[in-house]
């Protein structure tokens, strides 16, 4: 059965859920939204493409979930409340089973965060999914990457590296582990890659506590470098303080585990800095997701002379300590246009 653009929208994407602030949703030339009085609109967009962000053959439901999760993560990093999304779908063919799976994964996560799909575009082309997310934050209440100051402590939520380890498990040509515990560990890691949990409640809670925040999508070291560059400072990261992952340790050697944690991408955890006098506020949050102090913000190492925006300057902003020794920075995170 061949599905036209209109059928696809009507069957899989229109009429799902409702929000009172959606004055006009799918079906007209554009959507009309009511932004709560006194709030600021926060907008982000992320694309996921087969073979770039997930291996070809990834289940449609996982792609649907992921296309929204990466966007929610961006709003989480701003401390915003997600409300609305648009969806640009480029597909080589309109397959009913794929669309059903995709919409199922997308709306599963959308419903959990009460996000309404308010429009989009549907075209034939290579498999590429773009979601634009919009939400709101209190006036002057958003977080940025640029507020870190020397002396602030560096925190990360969750267990960085597990998503990259999960991707390695998925892509490994070797047979999987045979023991029950090994299989459980492999499945845990696969899920961390396929179904990242955007830290929206944590992002909201960090307003007024964190001095700077961002989400970790390209790898801990690279992203901490970006936060430092935006803040005009440096950081020391203590690898011994990184959260332990029993699942990673059971399937990979120590060097690989450290590599995943420092350079693996796709975690969608929050990386943030907290001034020392506000650390007790963080502890008092009782956040559902554990947050671990992994380092400290510094003045920065010769960052000035190299130009804050200069190529390669980001890597040099972060010094990694392992058992008190400086770790050579041979590993960097993901850059689509990097060599
Ligand atoms: P136009 O040609 O005026 O852009 P379309 O026929 O592309 O309108 O879209 C009709 C309606 O369906 C619009 O409201 C649009 O936002 C919505 N829409 C199109 N594709 C999608 C999609 N993938 N998901 C959600 N809404 C969509
Ligand atoms: Mg259109």
């Amino acid at each position: 059965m061949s599905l036209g653009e209109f059928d696809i929208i009507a069957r899989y994407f229109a009429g799902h859920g409702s929000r009172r602030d959606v004055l006009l949703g799918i079906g007209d030339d554009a959507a009309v939204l009511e932004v709560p009085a006194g709030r600021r609109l926060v907008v982000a967009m992320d694309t996921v493409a087969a073979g770039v962000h997930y291996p070809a053959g990834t289940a449609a439901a996982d792609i649907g979930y992921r296309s929204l999760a990466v966007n929610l993560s961006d709003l989480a990093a701003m401390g915003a409340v997600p409300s609305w999304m648009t969806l640009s779908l480029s597909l080589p063919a309109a397959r009913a089973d794929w669309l059903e799976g995709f919409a199922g994964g997308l709306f599963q996560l959308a419903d959990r965060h009460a996000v309404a799909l308010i429009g989009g575009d549907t075209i034939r082309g290579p498999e590429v999914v773009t979601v634009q997310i919009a939400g709101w934050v209190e006036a002057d209440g958003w977080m940025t990457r640029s507020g870190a100051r020397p002396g602030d402590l560096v925190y990360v939520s969750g267990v960085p590296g597990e998503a990259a380890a999960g991707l390695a498990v998925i892509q490994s040509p070797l047979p999987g582990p045979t023991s029950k515990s090994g299989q459980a560990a492999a499945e845990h890691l696969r899920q961390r890659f396929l179904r990242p949990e955007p830290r929206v409640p944590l992002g909201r809670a960090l307003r007024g506590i964190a001095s700077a925040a961002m989400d970790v999508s390209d790898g801990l070291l690279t992203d901490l470098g970006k936060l430092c560059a935006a803040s005009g400072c440096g950081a020391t990261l203590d690898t011994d303080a990184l959260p332990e992952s029993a699942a990673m340790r059971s399937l990979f050697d120590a060097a690989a585990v450290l590599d995943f944690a420092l350079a693996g991408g796709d975690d969608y955890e929050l990386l943030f800095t907290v001034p020392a006098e506000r650390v007790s506020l963080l502890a008092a949050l009782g956040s559902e997701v554990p947050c671990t102090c992994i380092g400290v913000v510094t003045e920065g190492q010769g960052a000035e002379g190299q130009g804050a925006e200069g190529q390669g300057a980001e890597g040099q902003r972060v010094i990694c300590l392992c058992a008190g020794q400086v770790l050579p920075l041979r590993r960097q995170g993901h850059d689509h246009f990097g060599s």
Side-chain angles (χ1 to χ4, degrees):
M1 180 181 51
S2 102
L3 289 168
E5 184 184 334
F6 179 82
D7 299 319
I8 294 173
I9 298 162
R11 205 173 291 182
Y12 300 104
F13 299 115
H16 187 98
S18 65
R19 287 179 60 106
R20 273 194 302 193
D21 54 13
V22 179
L23 306 180
L24 191 58
I26 291 175
D28 218 298
D29 287 311
V32 181
L33 309 166
E34 184 163 3
V35 182
R39 307 289 156 90
R40 300 295 177 259
L41 193 61
V42 183
V43 183
M45 176 194 278
D46 251 322
T47 295
V48 297
V52 181
H53 302 91
Y54 55 87
T58 299
D62 291 329
I63 300 167
Y65 178 101
R66 184 182 190 76
S67 64
L68 175 57
V70 299
N71 277 280
L72 289 176
S73 180
D74 281 329
L75 255 58
M78 304 301 292
V81 177
S83 307
W84 315 288
M85 63 171 161
T86 55
L87 167 67
S88 166
L89 205 50
S90 168
L91 294 175
R95 280 180 30 213
D97 58 337
W98 194 95
L99 283 159
E100 194 160 328
F102 176 87
L106 179 78
F107 287 125
Q108 183 190 351
L109 186 59
D111 290 349
R112 225 190 282 160
H113 291 271
V115 169
L117 179 64
I118 52 139
D121 202 15
T122 309
I123 65 160
R124 189 187 293 273
E127 186 178 304
V128 179
V129 181
T130 301
V131 168
Q132 183 185 50
I133 188 90
W136 54 261
V137 70
E138 291 76 4
D140 300 331
W142 62 88
M143 298 188 289
T144 66
R145 300 177 176 190
S146 57
R149 295 296 171 258
D152 291 357
L153 297 167
V154 179
Y155 284 81
V156 70
S157 66
V159 185
E162 286 196 335
L167 178 60
V169 167
I170 290 168
Q171 292 185 316
S172 171
L174 303 171
T178 48
S179 71
K180 247 199 156 106
S181 65
Q183 286 170 358
E187 182 54 21
H188 171 79
L189 297 177
R190 270 196 296 268
Q191 288 304 313
R192 295 299 301 135
F193 174 76
L194 294 171
R195 300 274 172 145
E197 183 64 51
R199 303 301 185 190
V200 175
L202 177 62
R204 292 291 291 160
L206 288 177
R207 288 171 308 128
I209 297 177
S211 51
M214 69 182 296
D215 70 327
V216 186
S217 54
D218 294 339
L220 197 53
L221 269 185
T222 293
D223 287 336
L224 181 54
K226 289 179 187 169
L227 186 148
C228 288
S231 296
C233 56
T236 303
L237 192 157
D238 179 5
T239 61
D240 301 319
L242 287 167
E244 290 265 319
S245 164
M248 275 202 285
R249 258 189 309 139
S250 74
L251 297 183
F252 297 95
D253 64 26
V257 168
L258 185 60
D259 230 18
F260 286 135
L262 293 178
D266 299 312
D267 287 311
Y268 299 103
E269 294 294 347
L270 292 186
L271 175 66
F272 56 96
T273 57
V274 180
E277 66 273 15
R278 290 194 224 143
V279 165
S280 59
L281 294 175
L282 179 67
L285 277 186
S287 159
E288 256 177 43
V289 50
C291 296
T292 310
C293 181
I294 56 168
V296 64
V297 178
T298 61
E299 298 280 351
Q301 265 231 333
E304 297 309 318
Q306 294 163 12
E309 263 56 71
Q311 270 254 305
E314 284 156 12
Q316 286 138 18
R317 288 178 176 273
V318 181
I319 292 175
C320 251
L321 292 180
C322 185
Q325 302 283 319
V326 175
L327 197 73
L329 274 189
R330 60 190 168 81
R331 314 176 185 104
Q332 296 296 315
H334 192 70
D335 175 349
H336 283 279
F337 295 100
S339 49

